[in-house]
Amino acid sequence: MSFFFGKKKTPSELLRENKRMIDRSIRELDRERTSLQNQEKKLLVEIKQMAKKNQIAAVKVMAKDLVRTRHSITKFYALRSQLQGVSLRIQTLKSTQAMGQAMRGVTKAMAKMNKQLNLPNLQKIMMEFERQNEKMEMTEEVMGDAIDDALEGEEEEEESEELVNSVLAEIGLSLDEQLVNAPTAQPQGQPSAAQEANGATALAEGGGGGGIDDDLQARLDNLRKM
């Protein structure tokens, strides 16, 4: 049959032709409706003119014609609305067909991808990936602990030295202050350096150096050296 009547049209082509035909019909209805509206205006003008001339019979005839014209305009509006509904239905069918074709293409692509995917091999790959990932994490953890231990030892040694130096500095500062502020302890029965100096001065003023004891002189010499 297709050999005698030509190539068979696809549903998409049929829908396109029908929609084109409906759009053409809507445009023709609009032209006819516009013509009837113009005729209505002319009839109104003529009715008014005949009424002014007191031609009542002509006015009644033209009034009936005006009523039929208005009914025809209303029918054209109804036809146009129906044709628009059919056109929208055709557009919906075209959209549905396009969506069906798209889904069919996606389904074919998914089927091909599923055929290419080897599920057992994919599971092996995922298991190997998980195993290698765990191994890498363990290696990183061991390396991190080793580095932390090495750095921690150096840091602790440095901190210990700083702490010892700080404590010694504080102790030394306290000892210096105590040495400055504390009185000098003297053995019982032994004169202090100031007393010995005063005694030596008194002896020198009283009667010269011949009566100074050798021990006292040695102490004075030591004090002068200090």
Side-chain angles (χ1 to χ4, degrees):
M1 295 294 293
S2 60
F3 176 77
F4 294 103
F5 296 100
K7 184 179 179 181
K8 186 177 179 180
K9 295 181 180 179
T10 62
S12 179
E13 292 176 351
L14 291 174
L15 289 174
R16 191 181 301 110
E17 288 182 359
N18 290 328
K19 188 174 185 305
R20 191 181 300 115
M21 182 178 63
I22 290 172
D23 292 339
R24 189 184 304 114
S25 299
I26 290 173
R27 288 193 296 271
E28 290 177 357
L29 286 174
D30 289 337
R31 285 195 295 269
E32 293 293 334
R33 180 176 51 80
T34 303
S35 177
L36 289 175
Q37 287 174 347
N38 293 329
Q39 186 177 352
E40 179 187 7
K41 292 177 182 179
K42 291 180 181 179
L43 284 172
L44 285 173
V45 173
E46 290 177 359
I47 288 171
K48 290 178 181 179
Q49 290 176 355
M50 291 298 175
K52 289 178 181 179
K53 294 178 181 179
N54 201 15
Q55 295 180 3
I56 303 302
V59 170
K60 290 180 180 180
V61 173
M62 286 188 291
K64 291 180 181 180
D65 193 8
L66 179 61
V67 170
R68 287 193 294 268
T69 302
R70 287 179 175 177
H71 287 170
S72 298
I73 292 172
T74 304
K75 289 180 181 180
F76 276 119
Y77 274 118
L79 287 173
R80 188 180 190 280
S81 178
Q82 292 174 358
L83 288 175
Q84 275 189 329
V86 174
S87 178
L88 290 174
R89 183 64 60 86
I90 291 174
Q91 185 65 36
T92 303
L93 288 173
K94 288 178 65 177
S95 300
T96 305
Q97 183 186 9
M99 184 178 65
Q101 291 178 355
M103 293 297 294
R104 183 168 53 190
V106 171
T107 303
K108 289 181 180 180
M110 291 176 65
K112 290 181 180 179
M113 292 297 295
N114 289 328
K115 288 181 180 179
Q116 292 179 359
L117 288 176
N118 189 354
L119 187 58
N121 189 20
L122 182 61
Q123 290 178 348
K124 290 180 180 179
I125 292 172
M126 294 304 297
M127 292 176 64
E128 181 65 19
F129 172 78
E130 185 177 359
R131 188 174 66 84
Q132 294 297 332
N133 190 23
E134 291 179 356
K135 184 178 180 181
M136 183 179 66
E137 289 180 357
M138 292 176 63
T139 304
E140 290 179 355
E141 185 176 357
V142 171
M143 291 294 294
D145 292 340
I147 293 172
D148 291 338
D149 292 339
L151 295 177
E152 185 178 0
E154 295 179 358
E155 292 178 357
E156 287 181 355
E157 186 176 357
E158 292 178 358
E159 290 180 0
S160 300
E161 291 180 359
E162 291 178 359
L163 181 60
V164 170
N165 292 331
S166 176
V167 171
L168 291 177
E170 291 179 0
I171 293 173
L173 179 61
S174 299
L175 289 175
D176 291 339
E177 292 178 354
Q178 291 177 2
L179 289 174
V180 172
N181 297 326
T184 303
Q186 295 291 337
Q188 293 181 358
Q190 184 176 357
S192 62
Q195 292 176 353
E196 289 179 356
N198 292 331
T201 304
L203 289 173
E205 292 178 352
I212 297 175
D213 190 64
D214 294 336
D215 189 12
L216 183 59
Q217 183 65 39
R219 291 179 181 177
L220 287 172
D221 294 336
N222 291 330
L223 288 172
R224 289 170 183 169
K225 291 178 181 179
M226 290 178 64

